Amino acid sequence: MQVVLNYPKIAVIRPQGCLNAANALEFERDMTTALAQNGISILVVDLAAVESLDSAGLMALLSTHKLALTLGRSCRLCAVTPQIRIIFELTQLDQVFEISDAETELTQT
């Protein structure tokens, strides 16, 4: 389901399709595993291939974001399509997550 790429200090996850109750736990587990790796300081979630996102998918992202803060790390989102971005805006989670149009903007630190 997800492709995980590792750059020095950065892990990138690219989920595809629907992020919903059917796969939210697996998605959260994948993000948590990537974030918990030694040497990783930034987790970038590339949402370009995500077609839909429900509350379970949002909770998986939010839980991972909270874990990142607890670990002193960062969870960032990139390539958020307009139909997915509106979900973040309506829930005001666009104020919580660092969201960028391009992965390269988020990985430059």
Side-chain angles (χ1 to χ4, degrees):
M1 181 176 131
Q2 284 85 17
V3 175
V4 179
L5 303 174
N6 287 310
Y7 300 102
K9 299 184 181 182
I10 300 168
V12 179
I13 293 185
R14 293 188 174 117
Q16 299 175 10
C18 301
L19 294 179
N20 56 30
N23 59 19
L25 289 176
E26 177 186 356
F27 177 52
E28 184 175 350
R29 186 187 69 235
D30 292 345
M31 290 188 297
T32 300
T33 300
L35 189 61
Q37 293 178 31
N38 286 333
I40 297 297
S41 59
I42 301 170
L43 173 64
V44 177
V45 182
D46 182 339
L47 298 175
V50 173
E51 299 167 6
S52 65
L53 178 68
D54 74 1
S55 60
L58 279 175
M59 286 306 299
L61 286 165
L62 194 54
S63 294
T64 303
H65 177 72
K66 288 181 180 182
L67 175 63
L69 293 177
T70 300
L71 296 174
R73 299 175 184 185
S74 176
C75 178
R76 305 172 185 185
L77 308 178
C78 74
V80 181
T81 61
Q83 63 267 27
I84 300 298
R85 185 178 287 270
I86 193 74
I87 296 168
F88 285 94
E89 291 172 358
L90 290 171
T91 58
Q92 297 184 343
L93 289 175
D94 61 326
Q95 305 298 312
V96 174
F97 288 97
E98 184 174 340
I99 301 175
S100 176
D101 292 331
E103 179 182 312
T104 53
E105 294 175 29
L106 289 175
T107 57
Q108 295 174 351
T109 51

